[in-house]
Amino acid sequence: MRGGRRYRLLRGIVSLLVLRYLAEGEECGYGLRRRISGVLGEALPPGYIYVILKSLRGRGLLDAREGSRNGRRVVYYRITDSGMDFLLRHRGAVEAGRRAIEELTRFLEGRGGESARGDRDRHQTYWRRGARCAVPAGSPGRCAICGRPAAVRVPYANASFCEEHYPQWLERRIRRVTDRYGMFDGVRRVAVAVSGGKDSVSLLHALAGLRDDHGFEVVGIHLDLGIGDYSRASAEAARRNFEMLGVEGRIVDLRARYGFSVPEAVRAVRRPACSTCGVVKRYALEEAAEDAGADALATGHNLDDVAQFVMMGYQSGDLEGLARLRPVIPAGRHYGVRSVKPLFLIYERDLAEYARIRGLPVAGAECPLRDRTSQGFIRRKLLEIEEGMPGFMLRLVQEFADGVQPALAERYLREEDVGTCRICGRPTSKGREICSFCAIRARALGTGTVPGATG
Ligand code: AMP
Ligand code: ZN
Ligand code: ZN
């Protein structure tokens, strides 16, 4: 909301507040502005209060005297008898206003981020308010849609929801993201990569709910990475969700399909476990999506994941990597399936609440191979910033996706830079003959090392 309109709306209320403070005793314009700004949770524009004081004075509701403080000339304002009458007569109007504002608040908060643009405007008001933002900490309060006691509070949207309306609200949010970025335009069959964790399980349920609307089919894909009990529990969670929804589910055993498991690959390759696993998963998921006849592959990367990638990319100055980081990667010359991240603007915390409230079966354990890296540190720091500036990560990622990435792509993404893997025919990065997956596989199978191919 632009300042002008906002303050026109508030004008009557601020006038009454002026009289209310003056009813306690005389006060200068500066003091009134400070006290009223405190109540509103944001600084009134300078000058605004003087316009109101002048008008109240013109109506005889207050008068003024000149005094001095610390050698400076100051005007003190005082309420008159008719000012006092005026204030008391407004009791009924204030009560009616309170009810009207409650009703409006319920409606507007229910639309917490109705459009991506809307979100952005909301968050800009948070910036201006700075630390004094209007997000009350602590209890969830009442549902923004039905007014019943709320179960979840969503700080960046400054809204709360009950157990019934929270899942609906989140699903609508996801739907808006997929629509806005055209993720499923022209798509007939979506492969959802389900790890068994809360993000991808929530994604599966949300997309299953869009099947009829969008007219696409959903097929779930789970990769069994062969990481002991961890993988067994993950596969079990994935399977239970496929059954629950009645969606076709495919469980791909990495070892059966490619001859090696993730732990074997990690032992054979000198690079961080998560990075090796990431290459293997990406490759296997794309292939599985193709095998399943899908035209889109959806993964559960959430806002926190993407915010972390963005920060890490900035830190290392990896402009090509940043240029490749986008919510929709179109099908290409080497690979016929579009890749989408429908949750890239959804906070991890919101997904955890969704899975909890809907009672979805998820595998909670952390991967035992996960390496301790700077990633966790950056993530924690981002959450700290978020706490002080609700909506920070959303803005970071949204601005990146809408502004920064397209600019980088123009400069750094060239189709002709992509090579073709000599072994499997899939894409390789510039100057490489063999793709990272084939290089890892060669090492894991002990069929030799490929010079210059692995990191
Ligand atoms: P991660 O790389 O573990 O952060 O996972 C990112 C996304 O990749 C998840 O949300 C899933 O969509 C997908 N994914 C990760 N692990 C698996 C798996 N074992 N099987 C299927 N999809 C997975
Ligand atoms: Zn409700
Ligand atoms: Zn290859």
Side-chain angles (χ1 to χ4, degrees):
M1 204 196 297
R2 293 269 74 82
R5 233 181 302 149
R6 170 203 297 275
Y7 293 112
R8 221 174 300 143
L9 181 66
L10 281 175
R11 187 165 172 154
I13 293 171
V14 172
S15 302
L16 290 171
L17 277 172
V18 166
L19 295 174
R20 177 249 173 274
Y21 286 122
L22 294 181
E24 281 177 0
E26 62 175 25
E27 177 69 280
C28 63
Y30 172 78
L32 287 167
R33 176 173 176 234
R34 188 170 44 77
R35 292 174 80 170
I36 293 171
S37 297
V39 172
L40 298 177
E42 60 183 75
L44 283 174
Y48 179 81
I49 199 84
Y50 293 101
V51 173
I52 286 185
L53 286 167
K54 191 167 165 219
S55 144
L56 292 174
R57 197 175 168 192
R59 293 155 72 190
L61 302 178
L62 50 85
D63 58 30
R65 74 169 176 89
E66 273 198 7
S68 76
R69 192 169 49 200
N70 305 332
R72 279 178 48 203
R73 212 177 58 94
V74 182
V75 178
Y76 287 99
Y77 297 87
R78 253 191 324 237
I79 192 165
T80 59
D81 288 347
S82 42
M84 202 66 195
D85 277 355
F86 182 89
L87 182 57
L88 296 176
R89 260 190 286 122
H90 273 77
R91 198 184 161 145
V94 166
E95 183 53 35
R98 191 178 63 78
R99 284 193 297 266
I101 283 169
E102 268 172 14
E103 169 63 20
L104 283 169
T105 308
R106 251 202 297 283
F107 173 78
L108 294 172
E109 287 184 346
R111 312 223 143 184
E114 190 74 299
S115 68
R117 271 290 148 189
D119 279 354
R120 194 177 302 192
D121 292 345
R122 285 171 86 81
H123 294 118
Q124 262 157 17
T125 69
Y126 288 135
W127 293 160
R128 279 191 241 106
R129 292 175 198 173
R132 272 261 199 77
C133 79
V135 182
S139 74
R142 298 197 160 264
C143 174
I145 293 169
C146 69
R148 281 181 294 172
V152 188
R153 166 144 191 81
V154 185
Y156 73 91
N158 196 16
S160 300
F161 301 95
C162 70
E163 300 215 333
E164 184 192 335
H165 289 119
Y166 178 75
Q168 286 179 16
W169 173 78
L170 194 75
E171 284 164 14
R172 272 201 304 160
R173 251 191 95 68
I174 296 171
R175 171 75 199 260
R176 274 198 298 270
V177 173
T178 61
D179 282 353
R180 176 157 189 258
Y181 292 88
M183 291 186 180
F184 298 117
D185 291 355
V187 167
R188 288 165 299 108
R189 199 162 147 83
V190 182
V192 185
V194 180
S195 67
K198 63 188 179 337
D199 301 327
S200 52
V201 163
S202 299
L203 175 66
L204 180 73
H205 284 258
L207 293 186
L210 295 180
R211 274 179 293 192
D212 295 340
D213 260 18
H214 268 296
F216 56 52
E217 296 167 3
V218 166
V219 48
I221 294 180
H222 174 77
L223 299 175
D224 185 337
L225 307 172
I227 313 178
D229 285 344
Y230 167 77
S231 285
R232 272 186 286 277
S234 304
E236 182 51 30
R239 195 186 333 247
R240 284 180 61 196
N241 284 286
F242 299 153
E243 276 169 17
M244 196 172 158
L245 286 164
V247 301
E248 178 187 342
R250 298 183 169 213
I251 301 205
V252 177
D253 184 313
L254 212 66
R255 200 159 203 294
R257 177 89 163 84
Y258 299 104
F260 67 97
S261 66
V262 161
E264 285 162 349
V266 166
R267 273 197 297 277
V269 175
R270 264 176 290 107
R271 74 191 221 179
C274 291
S275 131
T276 302
C277 182
V279 170
V280 171
K281 278 194 295 205
R282 182 82 235 152
Y283 189 96
L285 280 174
E286 289 180 355
E287 206 150 70
E290 266 182 358
D291 290 351
D295 36 20
L297 168 66
T299 54
H301 294 98
N302 61 42
L303 176 60
D304 303 43
D305 295 332
V306 178
Q308 178 194 316
F309 296 155
V310 169
M311 292 309 283
M312 285 165 49
Y314 285 158
Q315 182 216 230
S316 59
D318 178 11
L319 298 178
E320 278 184 52
L322 287 170
R324 249 180 266 116
L325 183 59
R326 54 216 144 134
V328 182
I329 302 174
R333 175 156 59 95
H334 289 89
Y335 174 58
V337 179
R338 175 189 307 170
S339 201
V340 298
K341 300 184 188 75
L343 306 181
F344 88 109
L345 293 179
I346 311 290
Y347 284 94
E348 176 168 275
R349 178 185 166 282
D350 290 354
L351 293 163
E353 292 285 20
Y354 179 86
R356 178 182 69 80
I357 286 181
R358 291 204 50 186
L360 305 180
V362 298
E366 269 232 351
C367 174
L369 301 182
R370 184 165 293 260
D371 24 50
R372 298 209 132 269
T373 56
S374 56
Q375 294 174 21
F377 184 77
I378 293 178
R379 217 176 162 97
R380 281 194 301 280
K381 288 294 160 191
L382 280 168
L383 286 170
E384 266 176 45
I385 300 177
E386 180 72 28
E387 219 171 288
M389 297 168 92
F392 174 80
M393 282 202 259
L394 183 61
R395 272 175 60 81
L396 179 77
V397 171
Q398 179 128 44
E399 295 296 342
F400 177 81
D402 294 352
V404 179
Q405 186 277 331
L408 288 174
E410 214 162 280
R411 173 121 193 238
Y412 294 101
L413 277 194
R414 253 171 266 121
E415 179 83 1
E416 60 271 22
D417 284 349
V418 179
T420 303
C421 175
R422 194 149 53 76
I423 297 174
C424 71
R426 298 245 178 225
T428 59
S429 37
K430 192 160 51 179
R432 294 269 168 87
E433 293 212 316
I434 290 174
C435 74
S436 338
F437 177 84
C438 287
I440 290 171
R441 186 176 184 206
R443 294 225 186 189
L445 297 181
T447 51
T449 56
V450 185
T454 55

